[in-house]
Amino acid sequence: MSNSRAADEAAIKAVLVDSYRAWEAGDADGMVANYTADATAIMTGSLRTSREVIRQSMALAFEGPLKGSSTYNKQLGIRFVGRDGAIVISESAILFPGEAEVPDDVRKVNATWVFEKRDGQWLIAAYHNSPVLAPAQ
């Protein structure tokens, strides 16, 4: 058995790209298409306890304050936990209409994505983000 996880990494990256594209399209259904039914998300201090709850909250946001937005995403790392688990760490931010780059680092967050391989498919099982703060001196 090979220790290479290149195919798994590519599949996980593809899930993230699909999610980012759906966000850019304002498509809440597409954004959560690769989430587990029992996925959780913690964003801006709120706990969302299922794929459906996440979908509903994103649909409302895409109709309101996030209409026309996209995201900046920079993958910082990926590590596998056993055969069927992975943790992805990224730096992200919301880009509002007319923005090509994040105008202020204060808007950036560090995000943790927990992936689970179910029936041969990598799915997002949990997501959490927290504001980026300068390292302690």
Side-chain angles (χ1 to χ4, degrees), residues 1 5 8-9 11-12 34 36 38 78-88 113-126:
M1 185 169 129
R5 302 296 299 259
D8 288 326
E9 283 191 34
I12 288 168
N34 291 314
T36 62
D38 59 347
I78 183 170
R79 71 182 160 95
F80 290 94
V81 182
R83 291 179 49 197
D84 297 328
I87 299 169
V88 176
W113 305 80
V114 178
F115 280 79
E116 181 180 2
K117 195 173 193 179
R118 292 187 182 178
D119 299 321
Q121 181 181 3
W122 284 101
L123 300 171
I124 300 166

Side-chain angles (χ1 to χ4, degrees), residues 87-134:
I87 299 169
V88 176
I89 304 297
S90 64
E91 179 182 86
S92 302
I94 297 170
L95 298 172
F96 292 100
E99 294 179 336
E101 59 186 51
V102 183
D104 187 347
D105 282 351
V106 171
R107 289 188 13 211
K108 290 182 179 175
V109 297
N110 287 318
T112 302
W113 305 80
V114 178
F115 280 79
E116 181 180 2
K117 195 173 193 179
R118 292 187 182 178
D119 299 321
Q121 181 181 3
W122 284 101
L123 300 171
I124 300 166
Y127 172 84
H128 177 262
N129 72 41
S130 178
V132 172
L133 300 175

